[in-house]
PDB file of all heavy atoms in Angstrom:
ATOM      1  N   LYS A 658       4.772   1.527  19.298  1.00 98.00           N
ATOM      2  CA  LYS A 658       4.932   0.096  19.519  1.00 98.00           C
ATOM      3  C   LYS A 658       3.609  -0.635  19.275  1.00 98.00           C
ATOM      4  O   LYS A 658       2.524  -0.102  19.535  1.00 98.00           O
ATOM      5  CB  LYS A 658       5.379  -0.180  20.950  1.00 98.00           C
ATOM      6  CG  LYS A 658       6.763   0.369  21.292  1.00 98.00           C
ATOM      7  CD  LYS A 658       7.865  -0.408  20.611  1.00 98.00           C
ATOM      8  CE  LYS A 658       9.239   0.022  21.095  1.00 98.00           C
ATOM      9  NZ  LYS A 658      10.322  -0.732  20.448  1.00 98.00           N
ATOM     10  N   ILE A 659       3.702  -1.858  18.772  1.00 98.00           N
ATOM     11  CA  ILE A 659       2.546  -2.741  18.622  1.00 98.00           C
ATOM     12  C   ILE A 659       2.924  -4.056  19.275  1.00 98.00           C
ATOM     13  O   ILE A 659       3.973  -4.632  18.958  1.00 98.00           O
ATOM     14  CB  ILE A 659       2.177  -2.950  17.147  1.00 98.00           C
ATOM     15  CG1 ILE A 659       1.869  -1.605  16.480  1.00 98.00           C
ATOM     16  CG2 ILE A 659       0.970  -3.890  17.028  1.00 98.00           C
ATOM     17  CD1 ILE A 659       1.565  -1.713  15.000  1.00 98.00           C
ATOM     18  N   GLY A 660       2.098  -4.541  20.199  1.00 97.00           N
ATOM     19  CA  GLY A 660       2.523  -5.696  20.981  1.00 97.00           C
ATOM     20  C   GLY A 660       1.442  -6.707  21.248  1.00 97.00           C
ATOM     21  O   GLY A 660       0.242  -6.438  21.127  1.00 97.00           O
ATOM     22  N   LEU A 661       1.903  -7.891  21.615  1.00 98.00           N
ATOM     23  CA  LEU A 661       1.008  -8.977  22.039  1.00 98.00           C
ATOM     24  C   LEU A 661       1.829  -9.986  22.811  1.00 98.00           C
ATOM     25  O   LEU A 661       3.039  -9.855  22.958  1.00 98.00           O
ATOM     26  CB  LEU A 661       0.303  -9.624  20.842  1.00 98.00           C
ATOM     27  CG  LEU A 661       1.081 -10.019  19.580  1.00 98.00           C
ATOM     28  CD1 LEU A 661       2.142 -11.064  19.808  1.00 98.00           C
ATOM     29  CD2 LEU A 661       0.108 -10.527  18.513  1.00 98.00           C
ATOM     30  N   ASN A 662       1.149 -10.998  23.304  1.00 97.00           N
ATOM     31  CA  ASN A 662       1.806 -12.130  23.951  1.00 97.00           C
ATOM     32  C   ASN A 662       1.405 -13.394  23.212  1.00 97.00           C
ATOM     33  O   ASN A 662       0.372 -13.427  22.545  1.00 97.00           O
ATOM     34  CB  ASN A 662       1.404 -12.212  25.424  1.00 97.00           C
ATOM     35  CG  ASN A 662       2.431 -12.949  26.263  1.00 97.00           C
ATOM     36  OD1 ASN A 662       3.213 -13.745  25.748  1.00 97.00           O
ATOM     37  ND2 ASN A 662       2.445 -12.686  27.557  1.00 97.00           N
ATOM     38  N   TYR A 663       2.219 -14.441  23.352  1.00 96.00           N
ATOM     39  CA  TYR A 663       1.954 -15.691  22.638  1.00 96.00           C
ATOM     40  C   TYR A 663       1.013 -16.625  23.387  1.00 96.00           C
ATOM     41  O   TYR A 663       0.719 -17.710  22.914  1.00 96.00           O
ATOM     42  CB  TYR A 663       3.270 -16.435  22.382  1.00 96.00           C
ATOM     43  CG  TYR A 663       4.343 -15.611  21.729  1.00 96.00           C
ATOM     44  CD1 TYR A 663       5.630 -15.625  22.241  1.00 96.00           C
ATOM     45  CD2 TYR A 663       4.074 -14.833  20.613  1.00 96.00           C
ATOM     46  CE1 TYR A 663       6.637 -14.879  21.650  1.00 96.00           C
ATOM     47  CE2 TYR A 663       5.072 -14.080  20.017  1.00 96.00           C
ATOM     48  CZ  TYR A 663       6.350 -14.103  20.542  1.00 96.00           C
ATOM     49  OH  TYR A 663       7.341 -13.361  19.953  1.00 96.00           O
ATOM     50  N   GLY A 664       0.554 -16.216  24.542  1.00 94.00           N
ATOM     51  CA  GLY A 664      -0.342 -17.038  25.355  1.00 94.00           C
ATOM     52  C   GLY A 664      -1.204 -16.139  26.214  1.00 94.00           C
ATOM     53  O   GLY A 664      -1.812 -15.192  25.712  1.00 94.00           O
ATOM     54  N   PRO A 665      -1.269 -16.388  27.543  1.00 93.00           N
ATOM     55  CA  PRO A 665      -2.077 -15.528  28.417  1.00 93.00           C
ATOM     56  C   PRO A 665      -1.630 -14.074  28.327  1.00 93.00           C
ATOM     57  O   PRO A 665      -0.446 -13.768  28.457  1.00 93.00           O
ATOM     58  CB  PRO A 665      -1.812 -16.109  29.811  1.00 93.00           C
ATOM     59  CG  PRO A 665      -1.421 -17.529  29.570  1.00 93.00           C
ATOM     60  CD  PRO A 665      -0.674 -17.520  28.274  1.00 93.00           C
ATOM     61  N   MET A 666      -2.603 -13.173  28.113  1.00 96.00           N
ATOM     62  CA  MET A 666      -2.269 -11.762  27.924  1.00 96.00           C
ATOM     63  C   MET A 666      -3.113 -10.839  28.798  1.00 96.00           C
ATOM     64  O   MET A 666      -2.643  -9.799  29.228  1.00 96.00           O
ATOM     65  CB  MET A 666      -2.444 -11.397  26.454  1.00 96.00           C
ATOM     66  CG  MET A 666      -2.051  -9.981  26.094  1.00 96.00           C
ATOM     67  SD  MET A 666      -1.832  -9.805  24.319  1.00 96.00           S
ATOM     68  CE  MET A 666      -2.203  -8.081  24.119  1.00 96.00           C
ATOM     69  N   MET A 667      -4.365 -11.230  29.056  1.00 97.00           N
ATOM     70  CA  MET A 667      -5.235 -10.415  29.895  1.00 97.00           C
ATOM     71  C   MET A 667      -5.967 -11.337  30.870  1.00 97.00           C
ATOM     72  O   MET A 667      -6.130 -12.535  30.622  1.00 97.00           O
ATOM     73  CB  MET A 667      -6.220  -9.627  29.039  1.00 97.00           C
ATOM     74  CG  MET A 667      -5.552  -8.684  28.046  1.00 97.00           C
ATOM     75  SD  MET A 667      -6.712  -7.665  27.098  1.00 97.00           S
ATOM     76  CE  MET A 667      -7.188  -6.457  28.339  1.00 97.00           C
ATOM     77  N   ALA A 668      -6.410 -10.771  31.972  1.00 96.00           N
ATOM     78  CA  ALA A 668      -6.977 -11.559  33.060  1.00 96.00           C
ATOM     79  C   ALA A 668      -8.454 -11.873  32.849  1.00 96.00           C
ATOM     80  O   ALA A 668      -9.146 -11.217  32.069  1.00 96.00           O
ATOM     81  CB  ALA A 668      -6.799 -10.815  34.373  1.00 96.00           C
ATOM     82  N   SER A 669      -8.907 -12.870  33.588  1.00 95.00           N
ATOM     83  CA  SER A 669     -10.344 -13.073  33.748  1.00 95.00           C
ATOM     84  C   SER A 669     -10.857 -12.008  34.710  1.00 95.00           C
ATOM     85  O   SER A 669     -10.084 -11.396  35.452  1.00 95.00           O
ATOM     86  CB  SER A 669     -10.638 -14.463  34.322  1.00 95.00           C
ATOM     87  OG  SER A 669     -10.135 -14.540  35.654  1.00 95.00           O
ATOM     88  N   VAL A 670     -12.155 -11.788  34.686  1.00 95.00           N
ATOM     89  CA  VAL A 670     -12.738 -10.896  35.687  1.00 95.00           C
ATOM     90  C   VAL A 670     -14.093 -11.449  36.103  1.00 95.00           C
ATOM     91  O   VAL A 670     -14.916 -11.816  35.267  1.00 95.00           O
ATOM     92  CB  VAL A 670     -12.881  -9.446  35.162  1.00 95.00           C
ATOM     93  CG1 VAL A 670     -13.729  -9.377  33.907  1.00 95.00           C
ATOM     94  CG2 VAL A 670     -13.471  -8.539  36.246  1.00 95.00           C
ATOM     95  N   ASP A 671     -14.270 -11.569  37.402  1.00 95.00           N
ATOM     96  CA  ASP A 671     -15.566 -11.930  37.983  1.00 95.00           C
ATOM     97  C   ASP A 671     -15.856 -10.943  39.101  1.00 95.00           C
ATOM     98  O   ASP A 671     -14.956 -10.550  39.852  1.00 95.00           O
ATOM     99  CB  ASP A 671     -15.537 -13.351  38.552  1.00 95.00           C
ATOM    100  CG  ASP A 671     -15.301 -14.390  37.482  1.00 95.00           C
ATOM    101  OD1 ASP A 671     -16.224 -14.656  36.706  1.00 95.00           O
ATOM    102  OD2 ASP A 671     -14.178 -14.935  37.423  1.00 95.00           O
ATOM    103  N   ASP A 672     -17.099 -10.539  39.209  1.00 95.00           N
ATOM    104  CA  ASP A 672     -17.511  -9.668  40.305  1.00 95.00           C
ATOM    105  C   ASP A 672     -18.098 -10.522  41.424  1.00 95.00           C
ATOM    106  O   ASP A 672     -18.542 -11.654  41.202  1.00 95.00           O
ATOM    107  CB  ASP A 672     -18.558  -8.665  39.825  1.00 95.00           C
ATOM    108  CG  ASP A 672     -18.024  -7.778  38.710  1.00 95.00           C
ATOM    109  OD1 ASP A 672     -16.800  -7.567  38.657  1.00 95.00           O
ATOM    110  OD2 ASP A 672     -18.834  -7.305  37.899  1.00 95.00           O
ATOM    111  N   PHE A 673     -18.099  -9.974  42.618  1.00 97.00           N
ATOM    112  CA  PHE A 673     -18.740 -10.678  43.730  1.00 97.00           C
ATOM    113  C   PHE A 673     -19.390  -9.673  44.671  1.00 97.00           C
ATOM    114  O   PHE A 673     -19.016  -8.500  44.714  1.00 97.00           O
ATOM    115  CB  PHE A 673     -17.746 -11.567  44.488  1.00 97.00           C
ATOM    116  CG  PHE A 673     -16.591 -10.832  45.110  1.00 97.00           C
ATOM    117  CD1 PHE A 673     -16.702 -10.244  46.365  1.00 97.00           C
ATOM    118  CD2 PHE A 673     -15.382 -10.736  44.446  1.00 97.00           C
ATOM    119  CE1 PHE A 673     -15.640  -9.577  46.943  1.00 97.00           C
ATOM    120  CE2 PHE A 673     -14.307 -10.061  45.017  1.00 97.00           C
ATOM    121  CZ  PHE A 673     -14.433  -9.482  46.262  1.00 97.00           C
ATOM    122  N   GLU A 674     -20.388 -10.168  45.393  1.00 98.00           N
ATOM    123  CA  GLU A 674     -21.075  -9.353  46.390  1.00 98.00           C
ATOM    124  C   GLU A 674     -21.176 -10.145  47.674  1.00 98.00           C
ATOM    125  O   GLU A 674     -21.633 -11.292  47.674  1.00 98.00           O
ATOM    126  CB  GLU A 674     -22.465  -8.954  45.904  1.00 98.00           C
ATOM    127  CG  GLU A 674     -23.221  -8.070  46.870  1.00 98.00           C
ATOM    128  CD  GLU A 674     -24.548  -7.567  46.314  1.00 98.00           C
ATOM    129  OE1 GLU A 674     -24.649  -7.414  45.073  1.00 98.00           O
ATOM    130  OE2 GLU A 674     -25.479  -7.340  47.109  1.00 98.00           O
ATOM    131  N   VAL A 675     -20.737  -9.547  48.759  1.00 98.00           N
ATOM    132  CA  VAL A 675     -20.796 -10.164  50.084  1.00 98.00           C
ATOM    133  C   VAL A 675     -21.801  -9.378  50.933  1.00 98.00           C
ATOM    134  O   VAL A 675     -21.685  -8.149  51.056  1.00 98.00           O
ATOM    135  CB  VAL A 675     -19.419 -10.160  50.777  1.00 98.00           C
ATOM    136  CG1 VAL A 675     -19.531 -10.701  52.201  1.00 98.00           C
ATOM    137  CG2 VAL A 675     -18.410 -10.971  49.971  1.00 98.00           C
ATOM    138  N   THR A 676     -22.777 -10.078  51.495  1.00 98.00           N
ATOM    139  CA  THR A 676     -23.749  -9.450  52.394  1.00 98.00           C
ATOM    140  C   THR A 676     -23.552 -10.014  53.801  1.00 98.00           C
ATOM    141  O   THR A 676     -23.535 -11.237  53.983  1.00 98.00           O
ATOM    142  CB  THR A 676     -25.187  -9.704  51.933  1.00 98.00           C
ATOM    143  OG1 THR A 676     -25.344  -9.220  50.597  1.00 98.00           O
ATOM    144  CG2 THR A 676     -26.187  -9.010  52.841  1.00 98.00           C
ATOM    145  N   ILE A 677     -23.385  -9.127  54.764  1.00 98.00           N
ATOM    146  CA  ILE A 677     -23.238  -9.530  56.169  1.00 98.00           C
ATOM    147  C   ILE A 677     -24.498  -9.101  56.913  1.00 98.00           C
ATOM    148  O   ILE A 677     -24.835  -7.911  56.955  1.00 98.00           O
ATOM    149  CB  ILE A 677     -22.008  -8.857  56.808  1.00 98.00           C
ATOM    150  CG1 ILE A 677     -20.751  -9.146  55.985  1.00 98.00           C
ATOM    151  CG2 ILE A 677     -21.833  -9.327  58.253  1.00 98.00           C
ATOM    152  CD1 ILE A 677     -19.590  -8.236  56.338  1.00 98.00           C
ATOM    153  N   GLU A 678     -25.195 -10.060  57.495  1.00 98.00           N
ATOM    154  CA  GLU A 678     -26.396  -9.800  58.288  1.00 98.00           C
ATOM    155  C   GLU A 678     -26.044  -9.966  59.762  1.00 98.00           C
ATOM    156  O   GLU A 678     -25.596 -11.039  60.183  1.00 98.00           O
ATOM    157  CB  GLU A 678     -27.522 -10.765  57.899  1.00 98.00           C
ATOM    158  CG  GLU A 678     -28.017 -10.626  56.468  1.00 98.00           C
ATOM    159  CD  GLU A 678     -28.876  -9.381  56.253  1.00 98.00           C
ATOM    160  OE1 GLU A 678     -29.186  -8.704  57.262  1.00 98.00           O
ATOM    161  OE2 GLU A 678     -29.223  -9.102  55.092  1.00 98.00           O
ATOM    162  N   ALA A 679     -26.230  -8.902  60.534  1.00 97.00           N
ATOM    163  CA  ALA A 679     -25.825  -8.951  61.939  1.00 97.00           C
ATOM    164  C   ALA A 679     -26.930  -8.364  62.828  1.00 97.00           C
ATOM    165  O   ALA A 679     -28.113  -8.572  62.559  1.00 97.00           O
ATOM    166  CB  ALA A 679     -24.504  -8.212  62.115  1.00 97.00           C
ATOM    167  N   ASN A 680     -26.559  -7.606  63.837  1.00 97.00           N
ATOM    168  CA  ASN A 680     -27.546  -7.076  64.783  1.00 97.00           C
ATOM    169  C   ASN A 680     -27.091  -5.695  65.220  1.00 97.00           C
ATOM    170  O   ASN A 680     -26.196  -5.552  66.056  1.00 97.00           O
ATOM    171  CB  ASN A 680     -27.670  -8.016  65.993  1.00 97.00           C
ATOM    172  CG  ASN A 680     -28.735  -7.551  66.971  1.00 97.00           C
ATOM    173  OD1 ASN A 680     -29.681  -6.866  66.574  1.00 97.00           O
ATOM    174  ND2 ASN A 680     -28.585  -7.904  68.241  1.00 97.00           N
ATOM    175  N   GLY A 681     -27.679  -4.676  64.630  1.00 97.00           N
ATOM    176  CA  GLY A 681     -27.241  -3.314  64.897  1.00 97.00           C
ATOM    177  C   GLY A 681     -27.758  -2.758  66.211  1.00 97.00           C
ATOM    178  O   GLY A 681     -28.460  -3.424  66.968  1.00 97.00           O
TER     179      GLY A 681
END
Side-chain angles (χ1 to χ4, degrees):
K658 295 289 187 180
I659 302 177
L661 47 62
N662 204 337
Y663 308 132
M666 184 163 153
M667 300 184 75
S669 66
V670 58
D671 297 286
D672 300 333
F673 61 85
E674 182 174 331
V675 175
T676 303
I677 305 165
E678 296 286 353
N680 183 26

